[in-house]
Amino acid sequence: LYLPFKNEPSSTIKNIILAAEDRSFFQHQGVDFLAILRACFQNIFSGRRVSGASTITMQFIRLQTNYPRNWSSKIKEAWYAQKLERYYSKDQILKAYLNNAPFGSNVYGLETASLFYFSKSTEFLSLEELALLLGLPQAPSRLRPDRYLVKANNRKNVILNRMIQNHTLKKDIANHYLSQPIQLNIHANGNNKLTIPLAIKTSMGKG
């Protein structure tokens, strides 16, 4: 399932995705070397992989290449990520990532996920609904809310708390969303195919 996210990412979407995936996205040049160093220490001392340190740009490269998830592949992703950022703006890369990221249930792209899980376009999502969706690409199969809503909601809460730490969300507002349960409205038929609302079809036709 795929429907392009045509609008430019709003400031709310940017704040959420940066808290979820890559806090330094607008500061680095495709690779966050401090995050990689921090991940190395965390992984070594824990004895297992607890942090990957992939930037949004590196994740976009992975989505296009399907490299296996190992350090050799990460080096390749870092190389191509730096090259990509020489030719494309941060907003272009972020939009491309949002259009290609996996959201579980064979759903790709933020707009598709919005229609599939909530039966409405991205522009009509609340902050907590956006936070739930933008937390899914980390582990789309394990977090897909139609099957694992509690896990997806826990991930959403992690992101909201990170936004408080990043000073992009006030604590009292976050506490309101943290206490609110999210209701899904799956927009699919028995064959698990997305039904695009008429308003969306009309909008696409005009483009």
Side-chain angles (χ1 to χ4, degrees):
L1 302 178
Y2 178 72
L3 182 66
F5 176 72
K6 293 187 176 183
N7 297 328
E8 294 304 314
S10 66
S11 59
T12 300
I13 289 175
K14 290 179 182 179
N15 289 336
I16 294 172
I17 194 63
L18 266 59
E21 298 290 346
D22 186 359
R23 182 176 61 182
S24 303
F25 177 69
F26 284 101
Q27 284 73 52
H28 61 64
Q29 300 300 313
V31 181
D32 189 340
F33 292 102
L34 287 177
I36 291 176
L37 184 62
R38 183 171 60 249
C40 287
F41 280 108
Q42 290 176 345
N43 295 340
I44 290 172
F45 286 110
S46 68
R48 60 188 178 88
R49 186 180 184 276
V50 297
S51 178
S54 291
T55 65
I56 286 174
T57 314
M58 291 171 65
Q59 291 181 53
F60 174 70
I61 294 295
R62 185 189 305 137
L63 291 171
Q64 302 304 305
T65 57
N66 289 318
Y67 287 143
R69 303 193 71 172
N70 55 44
W71 282 105
S72 176
S73 296
K74 195 172 292 294
I75 292 173
K76 296 177 183 177
E77 291 164 8
W79 170 259
Y80 285 115
Q82 291 180 92
K83 294 186 66 175
L84 187 69
E85 294 220 1
R86 294 175 189 170
Y87 299 101
Y88 296 93
S89 70
K90 290 287 188 177
D91 283 342
Q92 287 176 309
I93 293 170
L94 184 58
K95 186 175 181 179
Y97 171 79
L98 292 172
N99 272 334
N100 288 272
F103 288 85
S105 187
N106 201 30
V107 172
Y108 293 86
L110 178 60
E111 182 68 16
T112 318
S114 177
L115 291 167
F116 182 80
Y117 290 116
F118 294 109
S119 297
K120 55 187 175 182
S121 183
T122 310
E123 61 185 305
F124 299 112
L125 293 179
S126 67
L127 185 146
E128 62 174 342
E129 290 169 341
L130 281 168
L132 182 134
L133 289 183
L134 291 172
L136 302 184
Q138 182 194 55
S141 297
R142 184 167 53 86
L143 295 174
R144 52 182 289 186
D146 57 333
R147 290 185 178 177
Y148 311 108
L149 185 56
V150 173
K151 291 182 179 179
N153 191 66
N154 289 339
R155 171 69 174 157
K156 176 211 70 176
N157 291 344
V158 168
I159 294 170
L160 293 178
N161 281 310
R162 285 182 184 175
M163 292 179 71
I164 296 174
Q165 297 171 5
N166 295 346
H167 305 290
T168 55
L169 184 64
K170 292 182 179 180
K171 189 172 183 178
D172 56 339
I173 297 176
N175 287 337
H176 169 74
Y177 286 120
L178 288 167
S179 64
Q180 295 296 316
I182 287 185
Q183 296 294 325
L184 300 180
N185 185 15
I186 304 296
H187 201 132
N189 61 25
N191 294 322
N192 206 32
K193 294 180 179 179
L194 181 67
T195 303
I196 301 176
L198 180 59
I200 300 297
K201 291 182 179 179
T202 303
S203 173
M204 292 172 64
K206 291 180 179 179

